[in-house]
Amino acid sequence: MRILKRLLLALTLAFSLAPAVADPLPSWSDAPAKQAITDFVDAVTTEGSEDFVPVPERIAVFDNDGTLWVEQPMYTQLAFVLDRLKEMASEHPEWQEQQPYKAALEGDQEALGEAGMEGLMKLLMATHAGMTSAEFAGLAADWIGTARHPRFERPYTELVYQPMLELLEYLRANGFKTYIVSGGGIAFMRPWTEQVYGIPPEQVVGSQIELAYEVQDGKPVIVRQPEIAFIDDKAGKPVGIMRHIGRRPLLAFGNSDGDYQMLEWTTAGPGSRLGLLLHHDDGEREYAYDRESHFGRLDRGLDDAAEKGWQIVSMKRDWASVFPNAGPQAGQ
């Protein structure tokens, strides 16, 4: 009996001294969305499980604007475009009367929102073409390093969502490759996504303008052309995934109807799949918007999520904090 008591005491001490397993998603509230994520990851990574997926097939795709970082009061790349337009306006007097240039120069956000992705592409071509890929990368990196958000007065790269940074790390720790699949310009994102999200440039899928190979002053360069090559939005997102990745993702995370087809295609695959939509319903810490917003409109996705089996992630309910190093009241 004495030996048994000693053995029980030793076991009790061993368990009490064992380090607690750290929560990989500390900025996520203990709610159904977090549970759905961890249950899904456990299912596809547990060998012997009927839902087990080999590491090479563990692909997760994320929209960028409004999913990984703030997209209000306008897309971040649009703020970059507006700054570029103002610098170039004196050389293009015709822009004063032509849309969407007129709306951009006048700061008419409603008209810009109504112009949609096609209007943004026109602005992108006007401000992003006629230079080498290296020159443009330098412009994008310089701007993102100095620009400040008009409300939060912080660099845009500090307005990434802390819960999403944790989710990216959690997935990578469990053998996933994480990709950005965004309607934004691929060349605008690639100079900084690795530093900010840990996502290298070859894992970024986005809208593109045409490129051409040239030799200038004896040096080979890639020159950006004033033509649209591909718009990575709505039905274009699954196409972009197949062109760049070549596998159907297991997990897709978006925040707007522009991500609808990406989630639809992802979750229609065999086996365990997970589709998530971030609902911006926190006007105190960030912004509250959905069905009527010109940027990041979420309407059809809200209506169909339950039927499709997608998780609606409430920023207000499911996130204990929003931005890094800002605590539970981030953005107030």
Side-chain angles (χ1 to χ4, degrees):
M1 182 65 71
R2 183 177 298 174
I3 294 175
L4 181 59
K5 286 182 177 180
R6 287 178 179 175
L7 180 60
L8 290 173
L9 178 61
L11 289 172
T12 300
L13 287 171
F15 281 113
S16 65
L17 293 175
V21 177
D23 183 355
L25 303 172
S27 296
W28 289 74
S29 302
D30 290 327
K34 180 177 181 178
Q35 191 65 52
I37 291 169
T38 56
D39 287 349
F40 165 76
V41 171
D42 287 345
V44 299
T45 60
T46 301
E47 291 196 39
S49 164
E50 63 179 12
D51 293 316
F52 176 74
V53 176
V55 169
E57 299 175 24
R58 295 178 197 168
I59 302 296
V61 293
F62 293 80
D63 172 55
N64 185 45
D65 296 303
T67 300
L68 296 179
W69 72 350
V70 67
E71 69 178 350
Q72 296 286 349
M74 68 178 71
Y75 299 128
T76 301
Q77 188 170 1
L78 181 53
F80 170 64
V81 167
L82 297 184
D83 284 349
R84 288 276 297 149
L85 281 172
K86 291 172 185 176
E87 293 176 3
M88 301 169 63
S90 62
E91 302 173 7
H92 297 275
E94 71 276 11
W95 288 352
Q96 301 297 329
E97 300 301 328
Q98 294 179 0
Q99 296 289 15
Y101 313 103
K102 184 176 186 291
L105 292 172
E106 293 176 352
D108 187 343
Q109 294 185 19
E110 182 173 351
L112 285 173
E114 291 174 351
M117 190 57 64
E118 289 188 10
L120 178 57
M121 287 298 105
K122 290 182 180 180
L123 299 178
L124 291 177
M125 288 188 292
T127 58
H128 291 36
M131 67 190 80
T132 68
S133 57
E135 289 169 341
F136 180 79
L139 284 173
D142 289 345
W143 185 87
I144 205 72
T146 58
R148 296 293 185 272
H149 188 274
R151 172 185 169 188
F152 298 107
E153 299 181 348
R154 296 173 63 182
Y156 287 92
T157 50
E158 290 184 7
L159 297 177
V160 297
Y161 301 135
Q162 178 63 29
M164 299 303 286
L165 295 179
E166 294 169 2
L167 178 56
L168 290 170
E169 286 294 332
Y170 174 56
L171 291 171
R172 290 193 287 258
N174 282 278
F176 279 81
K177 266 192 174 182
T178 54
Y179 290 80
I180 290 174
V181 180
S182 172
I186 192 170
F188 176 75
M189 295 181 285
R190 281 178 166 174
W192 50 266
T193 57
E194 189 161 23
Q195 179 181 352
V196 175
Y197 301 132
I199 297 177
E202 65 269 21
Q203 290 170 215
V204 176
V205 182
S207 297
Q208 304 170 50
I209 63 175
E210 291 288 359
L211 303 174
Y213 176 82
E214 295 182 11
V215 176
Q216 298 180 355
D217 299 324
K219 296 181 180 179
V221 294
I222 303 297
V223 180
R224 299 169 58 78
Q225 307 295 305
E227 300 175 35
I228 295 175
F230 178 67
I231 297 180
D232 190 51
D233 193 43
K234 299 180 180 177
K237 289 201 171 189
V239 173
I241 290 169
M242 281 308 297
R243 284 180 174 176
H244 289 263
I245 303 173
R247 293 183 188 273
R248 191 193 299 251
L250 298 181
L251 178 152
F253 207 139
N255 78 290
S256 76
D257 286 351
D259 304 309
Y260 189 100
Q261 289 86 350
M262 179 173 75
L263 268 70
E264 185 175 51
W265 189 64
T266 295
T267 56
S272 184
R273 308 272 167 162
L274 184 61
L276 305 107
L277 284 168
L278 176 60
H279 187 198
H280 291 262
D281 57 358
D282 194 331
E284 293 185 1
R285 297 186 300 174
E286 201 235 18
Y287 294 91
Y289 60 98
D290 45 45
R291 298 183 189 273
E292 302 300 323
S293 179
H294 289 301
F295 301 103
R297 181 184 182 191
L298 180 61
D299 185 20
R300 186 183 179 194
L302 281 177
D303 290 339
D304 295 353
E307 178 186 348
K308 297 284 189 180
W310 302 340
Q311 286 287 326
I312 297 293
V313 177
S314 162
M315 180 176 284
K316 188 172 184 178
R317 181 187 66 244
D318 292 314
W319 286 4
S321 63
V322 176
F323 301 123
N325 305 317
Q329 301 302 312
Q332 289 191 12

